[in-house]
């Protein structure tokens, strides 16, 4: 079934600091992962993806790390900016089936 | 990334009326489209999955006669909320995927308010 969040965990960081958002995924056989960013009142936006044959992938100011041993995914945002304030979801996929979404983490960037 | 649009972005309707929401993939062919509902400060709740030309697969607890989904082409899916009631007020988001195993892209969402 799909994940249904209750109360979102919140991460507060100072502007300019690095942010690390964590996600524990459920299926050890999942082979594809995506991080999404959702701003208030908008649909989720694709940020970065990674496949299970990799353990790290970098984008512009973002890095995704995958630790398959402990089923852990993280999103690192360098030099966090006010525009990064949003809810971040991880999503896992197994062999082309439907994505399963994590509950989300709210990132608040403090001035 | 790929672009998915939704229309309308906002809709206010009276109780008992039906509302249709369109979801379009603008620059790719979406073999599969998904409809989600999201309550404030909560995660996405998958309502149904539709493949082009096939009947939609609804998640448990979602009334298929209440939420009609049509995926008539590779670029368009529609969700019709029939006989809407205030409890149907929510943020509805569609998502589209080109090929199984590839990324899923989301539309901007449609906020429905039923008075």
């Amino acid at each position: 079934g799909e994940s249904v969040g209750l109360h979102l965990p919140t991460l507060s960081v100072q502007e300019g600091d690095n942010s690390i958002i964590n996600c524990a995924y459920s299926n050890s056989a999942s082979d594809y992962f995506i991080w999404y960013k959702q701003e208030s009142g908008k649909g989720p936006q694709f940020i970065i993806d990674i496949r299970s044959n990799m353990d790290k992938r970098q984008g512009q100011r973002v890095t995704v790390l995958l630790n398959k041993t402990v089923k852990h995914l993280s999103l690192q945002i360098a030099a966090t900016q006010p525009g990064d304030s949003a809810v971040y979801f991880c999503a896992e996929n197994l062999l082309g089936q439907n994505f399963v979404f994590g509950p989300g983490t709210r990132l608040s960037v403090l001035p | 990334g790929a672009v998915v649009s939704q229309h309308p972005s906002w809709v206010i309707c009276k109780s008992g009326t039906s509302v249709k929401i369109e979801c379009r993939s603008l620059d790719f062919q979406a073999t599969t489209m998904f409809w989600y509902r999201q309550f404030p400060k909560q995660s996405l709740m998958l309502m149904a999955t539709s493949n082009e030309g096939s009947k939609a697969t609804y998640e448990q607890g979602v009334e298929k006669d209440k939420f009609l989904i049509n995926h008539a082409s590779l670029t368009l899916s529609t969700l019709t909320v029939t006989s809407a009631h205030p409890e149907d007020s929510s943020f509805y988001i569609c998502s589209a995927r080109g090929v199984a195993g590839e990324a899923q892209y989301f539309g901007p969402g449609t906020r429905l308010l039923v008075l």
Side-chain angles (χ1 to χ4, degrees), chain B residues 28-46:
Chain B
F28 68 103
Q29 293 187 323
T31 54
T32 307
M33 285 187 168
F34 308 84
W35 286 96
Y36 296 84
R37 186 172 179 176
Q38 188 176 38
F39 293 104
K41 299 185 179 182
Q42 292 194 18
S43 186
L44 304 164
M45 288 179 53
L46 180 65

Side-chain angles (χ1 to χ4, degrees), chain A residues 17-69:
Chain A
D17 287 352
N18 296 335
S19 303
I20 300 176
I21 301 170
N22 297 304
C23 176
Y25 61 92
S26 58
N27 193 326
S28 58
S30 291
D31 56 5
Y32 182 40
F33 305 87
I34 298 177
W35 277 102
Y36 292 93
K37 171 187 180 183
Q38 186 177 23
E39 296 176 84
S40 182
K42 298 183 180 179
Q45 175 189 0
F46 177 101
I47 301 176
I48 191 168
D49 60 355
I50 188 169
R51 295 199 181 268
S52 58
N53 60 351
M54 303 174 68
D55 52 22
K56 180 179 180 179
R57 191 158 187 235
Q58 287 186 291
Q60 189 176 20
R61 273 203 313 121
V62 294
T63 301
V64 55
L65 298 177
L66 174 63
N67 185 331
K68 295 182 287 293
T69 304

Side-chain angles (χ1 to χ4, degrees), chain B residues 5-94:
Chain B
S5 71
Q6 273 182 250
H7 177 80
S9 54
W10 271 96
V11 58
I12 301 173
C13 68
K14 291 182 179 179
S15 186
T17 60
S18 294
V19 175
K20 179 184 282 189
I21 304 170
E22 291 187 350
C23 176
R24 294 181 185 272
S25 57
L26 298 185
D27 54 0
F28 68 103
Q29 293 187 323
T31 54
T32 307
M33 285 187 168
F34 308 84
W35 286 96
Y36 296 84
R37 186 172 179 176
Q38 188 176 38
F39 293 104
K41 299 185 179 182
Q42 292 194 18
S43 186
L44 304 164
M45 288 179 53
L46 180 65
M47 300 174 66
T49 302
S50 73
N51 291 296
E52 185 263 341
S54 302
K55 287 185 178 180
T57 301
Y58 289 81
E59 294 298 301
Q60 191 173 11
V62 178
E63 300 175 55
K64 61 180 181 180
D65 295 329
K66 171 81 173 168
F67 299 100
L68 301 178
I69 291 172
N70 184 281
H71 191 168
S73 77
L74 285 172
T75 59
L76 173 65
S77 176
T78 60
L79 167 68
T80 302
V81 183
T82 62
S83 187
H85 291 288
E87 58 266 29
D88 298 323
S89 299
S90 191
F91 192 48
Y92 292 88
I93 309 172
C94 75

